Amino acid sequence: MSNIILHDFWRSSASYRVRIGLNLKGVAYTSHSVGLPADEHKSADYRALNPQGFVPMLEIDGHRLTQSLAILDYLDATHKEPPFVPHDPAERSHVLAMALVIACDIHPLNNLRVLKYLGRPLGQTEAVRDHWYRHWIAEAFPALEAMAARSAGRWLSGDGVSLADICLVPQIYNARRFDVPLDAYPTLVRIDATAQNHPAFAAAHPDRQEQPA
């Protein structure tokens, strides 16, 4: 079997998702750190591999896969257990909706490249950028809490881990980094606590990854 390489950055939310997914599926991989603050993802060498210049990128089975949810979909199609989405169409839609609240409605607005653009060239202070970050989490988390409360068991959708949980945990990590109050989201906090005690999630945590010197 060829070496599986994950190009990631230790604190990238999207990379965190893929690390969780690889661990859940029991897929061994080698990590290659791409320094986002130093703009290593913009280098000619990296863009030759991934024209968009983002992380994560997964080299697997002769493919170079990009976009975290697309990578997770590939892993789910090629490694059946545990399934990341339910078989029931309505439950599947619900899991995807919760995942997309995070991946489409929160994360793009709080991505590092957006925060850097707010700083320069737009000239916004760090305090303003932090307020921006917290605002978009606070906009989405109440709806996500309500969505989760009606379906949650041990995990966000019943008692099986799903794509929604894989997306939630990195977002809770980010919320805590930026001091977002979480008392109003007891279901989300409970699910995150469950995840922290799961080996696949714990091993993917940013604090356990290679960090720049």
Side-chain angles (χ1 to χ4, degrees):
M1 181 181 294
S2 61
N3 190 30
I4 297 170
I5 301 173
L6 176 64
H7 301 265
D8 73 351
F9 180 66
W10 68 284
R11 209 160 58 187
S12 158
S13 300
S15 296
Y16 191 174
R17 294 172 200 154
V18 173
R19 293 195 300 265
I20 294 168
L22 287 163
N23 294 343
L24 285 168
K25 296 293 189 180
V27 177
Y29 66 94
T30 300
S31 179
H32 170 243
S33 179
V34 180
L36 301 187
D39 288 339
E40 291 179 10
H41 58 300
K42 296 181 180 180
S43 71
D45 287 345
Y46 187 67
R47 285 189 181 271
L49 299 174
N50 178 4
Q52 197 174 20
F54 290 173
V55 295
M57 178 181 71
L58 184 67
E59 296 192 67
I60 186 172
D61 301 336
H63 307 296
R64 291 172 182 159
L65 306 180
T66 62
Q67 292 290 341
S68 63
L69 267 61
I71 295 171
L72 291 166
D73 181 69
Y74 179 88
L75 293 173
D76 206 28
T78 55
H79 299 76
K80 298 302 182 183
E81 295 296 332
F84 289 163
V85 291
H87 294 296
D88 178 81
E91 293 177 9
R92 176 188 176 94
S93 179
H94 181 58
V95 164
L96 290 173
M98 289 191 287
L100 292 171
V101 166
I102 296 165
C104 293
D105 296 338
I106 302 175
H107 180 245
L109 289 164
N110 286 346
N111 192 284
L112 179 61
R113 66 191 183 116
V114 171
L115 298 178
K116 290 174 75 170
Y117 189 77
L118 286 169
R120 57 178 196 277
L122 298 185
Q124 299 301 316
T125 65
E126 183 176 357
V128 169
R129 283 177 280 157
D130 288 353
H131 180 77
W132 166 280
Y133 200 108
R134 289 188 289 267
H135 170 80
W136 294 113
I137 294 176
E139 279 280 303
F141 265 23
L144 187 61
E145 171 70 20
M147 295 167 73
R150 70 178 178 83
S151 64
R154 184 165 180 262
W155 298 95
L156 284 174
S157 179
D159 292 329
V161 67
S162 75
L163 182 65
D165 305 295
I166 293 170
C167 289
L168 173 68
V169 169
Q171 191 58 66
I172 292 284
Y173 170 80
N174 287 340
R176 289 194 170 109
R177 277 185 59 218
F178 284 84
D179 298 320
V180 176
L182 297 175
D183 291 346
Y185 317 116
T187 307
L188 304 185
V189 170
R190 177 177 63 79
I191 300 302
D192 178 69
T194 296
Q196 298 312 317
N197 289 314
H198 190 295
F201 285 82
H205 194 281
D207 289 351
R208 296 192 176 186
Q209 312 311 309
E210 176 186 353
Q211 300 179 20

